[in-house]
Amino acid sequence: MGGDRVKVGIIGSQFQADIQVVSLKSMPHEAEVVAVASPTPGNAAQFGKKFGIPRVFTDYHEMLKERDIEMVSICAPNSLHAQMAKDIAAAGKHIVCEKPLAMTIAEGEEMIAAAKKHGVLLMYGEELFFTPKYLKAKEMADAGAFGKIHLVKQSEKHFGPHSPWFWDVNRSGGGALMDLGCHGIAFCYWFLGRSPIKTVYCQMGTYVHGDKTQAEDESLCILEFANGAMGLVEDSWARRGGMDDRIEVFGSQGVTYGNLHMGNALPTFSEHGYGYAVEKAPTTTGWTYPVFEELWNYGTPQELNHFARCARGKETPQATGEDGLVVMQALYAGYASAGEGRKITMPYEPPPSAKKPIDLWLHGPTRK
Ligand SMILES: NC(=O)c1ccc[n+]([C@@H]2O[C@H](COP(=O)([O-])OP(=O)(O)OC[C@H]3O[C@@H](n4cnc5c(N)ncnc54)[C@H](O)[C@@H]3O)[C@@H](O)[C@H]2O)c1
């Protein structure tokens, strides 16, 4: 491997950090992870040892002083994204920010401004833009396979997140819509050629996890786009059986359906069980649908490889801070819609009292 690969630092050492390192290692020609920063004593060291990452830090500010690091990826809780992105930009390094972009629209705007000011890229970790099956659907759509598209659906469902901070709305900003709907909103927007979002209508509720969170664990979100098409984004933290991620696309001359996991699985029955089926699946006994090449099918290796190429000016970012900001605006409108019980017309200006998207639902008239 040449010594001229993009040197990457990762902030965080748990779930998404793991996925990113494995992804980058699976496409090793453009980039190498040389450093990790994570505050819990011992975690970064353990992560570094597991993946052969030589430099480990408990304070990411120290990692940002490493001159040869060109790109830093934020795999930390949502409430920390904005400050981290601004610090990375000030250190003159390209930023990869995991979804959702930030906690507030203002934070997202500040992140974009900081990247511009310091002449670095702000790239948005939306792997659905790189998911091979969904990319194929978009290529067919763009080639006219389905005629004029009037409805795009995306749904992502599982039984709830793996880390406590997701359940704490002050650190996550919201529940299933914020965590998973950010993918679906981004997907519909991207699929429809970034046609502006005109209106947002949402209904949501907390059905099974009220004992541990204020956040919604089911959400239905309908988007209207300037080109006349509709988007339907369904998300759940209350779906048993492991991760489920699907799309449906309807046009005047055709239709396509994509089931990300079961479509790439081996329908399997086992009395004894086996090692691993799919993300968040609780069991491997009985009927299960083990995936193969899971990360590749998500698109994360392709996404990060692309971002590394962007850092060297070889490609132009296909998922940007601006995309993340459009999603943030729609998320705020979604929570406002659920809170007020009405369709919200964009652009929507949240009241200053909304410190995070879910405030608009938690304190909205429909909850009183
Ligand atoms: N693209 C996707 O599909 C996807 C999937 C999962 C998570 N994510 C996103 O990735 C981000 C991280 O989520 P996760 O699932 O890895 O969470 P996690 O809880 O598994 O890991 C969070 C990490 O952040 C670290 N951290 C906390 N405070 C920090 C600080 N002050 N400085 C540096 N590091 C700090 C923790 O130590 C931990 O290592 C979130 O924004 C989440 O929404 C994206």
Side-chain angles (χ1 to χ4, degrees):
M1 212 62 64
D4 189 32
R5 293 184 289 166
V6 173
K7 291 190 170 48
V8 180
I10 302 230
I11 303 181
S13 63
Q14 300 295 317
F15 186 85
Q16 193 62 11
D18 202 295
I19 286 178
Q20 289 209 357
V21 173
V22 175
S23 294
L24 282 162
K25 279 182 177 287
S26 74
M27 290 185 85
H29 288 91
E30 298 286 345
E32 60 179 324
V33 181
V34 298
V36 57
S38 187
T40 310
N43 277 7
Q46 205 179 356
F47 191 80
K49 197 168 162 209
K50 178 176 171 190
F51 291 113
I53 300 168
R55 301 177 227 172
V56 298
F57 301 88
T58 47
D59 181 346
Y60 76 86
H61 299 91
E62 294 302 315
M63 183 173 81
L64 297 182
K65 291 180 187 160
E66 299 284 300
R67 295 174 64 100
D68 59 343
I69 293 178
E70 286 168 69
M71 187 167 103
V72 174
S73 184
I74 303 170
C75 299
N78 304 342
S79 55
L80 303 174
H81 288 188
Q83 190 58 51
M84 287 175 173
K86 289 187 276 186
D87 291 340
I88 298 166
K93 302 178 191 309
H94 300 297
I95 310 154
V96 175
C97 184
E98 266 304 335
K99 64 79 197 167
L101 185 64
M103 291 285 274
T104 68
I105 294 168
E107 281 184 357
E109 288 168 346
E110 287 168 19
M111 291 162 74
I112 291 170
K116 283 212 172 83
K117 178 178 165 196
H118 295 285
V120 297
L121 299 172
L122 172 57
M123 297 173 283
Y124 180 54
E126 180 44 78
E127 74 274 8
L128 293 191
F129 296 1
F130 303 87
T131 300
K133 188 176 282 185
Y134 295 174
L135 209 47
K136 175 72 180 171
K138 177 152 166 56
E139 280 166 13
M140 292 189 291
D142 290 349
F146 316 123
K148 186 165 167 44
I149 291 166
H150 57 269
L151 174 60
V152 180
K153 300 188 193 178
Q154 199 275 343
S155 73
E156 192 168 319
K157 304 184 180 198
H158 55 61
F159 200 63
H162 44 272
S163 272
W165 68 263
F166 284 93
W167 303 94
D168 175 355
V169 295
N170 292 316
R171 301 183 77 198
S172 60
L177 179 66
M178 181 89 175
D179 179 37
L180 307 177
C182 62
H183 286 302
I185 293 166
F187 178 82
C188 295
Y189 174 66
W190 167 79
F191 202 93
L192 293 167
R194 294 184 169 82
S195 179
I197 298 169
K198 284 292 190 202
T199 70
V200 182
Y201 176 77
C202 268
Q203 281 194 209
M204 57 183 65
T206 312
Y207 294 96
V208 302
H209 294 301
D211 56 335
K212 60 174 166 185
T213 187
Q214 288 181 285
E216 79 286 2
D217 54 24
E218 288 285 358
S219 121
L220 301 171
C221 177
I222 298 171
L223 307 161
E224 287 178 309
F225 291 86
N227 69 2
M230 281 189 295
L232 174 60
V233 177
E234 282 184 39
D235 297 288
S236 180
W237 279 357
R239 190 256 187 197
R240 296 277 187 184
M243 176 70 96
D244 184 80
D245 192 313
R246 299 165 192 237
I247 61 165
E248 294 179 17
V249 176
F250 299 86
S252 57
Q253 292 181 306
V255 59
T256 192
Y257 305 123
N259 182 325
L260 191 54
H261 298 95
M262 287 174 69
N264 293 326
L266 300 93
T268 297
F269 182 88
S270 168
E271 292 278 353
H272 299 284
Y274 53 93
Y276 178 82
V278 65
E279 182 182 335
K280 296 183 173 67
T283 179
T284 57
T285 54
W287 277 106
T288 54
Y289 296 84
V291 294
F292 55 88
E293 297 285 7
E294 189 174 20
L295 297 189
W296 183 262
N297 286 318
Y298 277 142
T300 319
Q302 302 91 317
E303 173 201 275
L304 292 168
N305 187 66
H306 162 68
F307 287 162
R309 289 178 64 77
C310 293
R312 288 285 171 84
K314 296 174 183 170
E315 291 178 15
T316 306
Q318 298 298 306
T320 63
E322 283 79 3
D323 290 328
L325 186 62
V326 167
V327 172
M328 284 305 303
Q329 289 161 339
L331 286 171
Y332 265 92
Y335 283 101
S337 166
E340 294 179 31
R342 68 179 179 94
K343 187 157 91 173
I344 300 287
T345 301
M346 304 294 280
Y348 169 71
E349 184 77 39
S353 58
K355 302 294 180 212
K356 51 191 179 297
I358 198 172
D359 286 348
L360 294 162
W361 175 58
L362 290 177
H363 308 300
T366 62
R367 304 272 287 179
K368 300 224 163 86

